[in-house]
Amino acid sequence: MRSSNTMDVEQEYKKYYVDRDYEQVDLFRLMKDKYAIEKVIYPGSYVHISPSFIFTDVVYIDSDTKAIKFFKNKKLIDFVNKRKEYSSAPKITFHGIDYKKPIDALFNQFDLLISQYAGFISEACKEYLKIGGYLLVNNSHGDAGLASIDEDYQLISTVHKNKGKYRITDAALERYFIPKRNIEVSRELLHKTGKGVGYTHPAPLYIFQRIA
Ligand SMILES: C[S@@+](CC[C@H](N)C(=O)[O-])C[C@H]1O[C@@H](n2cnc3c(N)ncnc32)[C@H](O)[C@@H]1O
């Protein structure tokens, strides 16, 4: 097995994000332009380092051993320096732990919480968000559905991708999160299924604001 010193961070990132056209740099750029975002937290990040290309101060949390090696690698900072779109030095903090284990010192500190393909982060990591902070979330594990029934969050925008370009809109928000089937969507149901329910109008990603 390759040691942390020899892991090629660029190759690792390329394999998962560049080759799959899933870097999302343009989405993070759009979000920075549209919202006041300084501090970002990304639980269940794996090696998705692209928020650091756009945002100066990002905290990542992931318990995966490969992710731990990636973030320990001294070459990571060179890679981010090459790609970053701001003048200051990047601040990258990584916690190689279960994101369900709260880090009290980080509560109410963040302007953006990212939840993609990694479970119910809107719930487990809500306390990290400032009131007024943003949650970027997909529904792969049902986390967007969970945020939609959580009174502490309000849906403010949806994110769409067309011909490779992301777009953020606040149009027709009322049509989202209407279940296709006649069921009551509860926290218990979503935790039980772990993959969400079908909605009449799904969006690839949703943006909520923490309101309480
Ligand atoms: C499918 S990957 C998604 C990675 C990234 N969010 C993306 O969109 O490419 C899920 C990641 O979440 C991490 N993860 C899942 N549950 C976790 C937990 N409770 N604590 C820490 N990391 C977790 C896994 O280790 C894995 O790296």
Side-chain angles (χ1 to χ4, degrees), residues 62-77:
D62 203 299
S63 51
D64 181 88
T65 47
K66 257 191 167 178
I68 293 170
K69 274 189 182 172
F70 179 89
F71 280 93
K72 260 194 194 154
N73 194 306
K74 302 236 176 343
K75 301 230 169 80
L76 180 60
I77 197 73

Side-chain angles (χ1 to χ4, degrees), residues 17 22 42 44-46 48 62-64 97-99 116-118:
Y17 297 103
Y22 178 50
Y42 192 172
S45 58
Y46 192 53
H48 196 191
D62 203 299
S63 51
D64 181 88
I97 59 168
D98 185 334
Y99 66 64
Q116 303 193 99
Y117 305 104

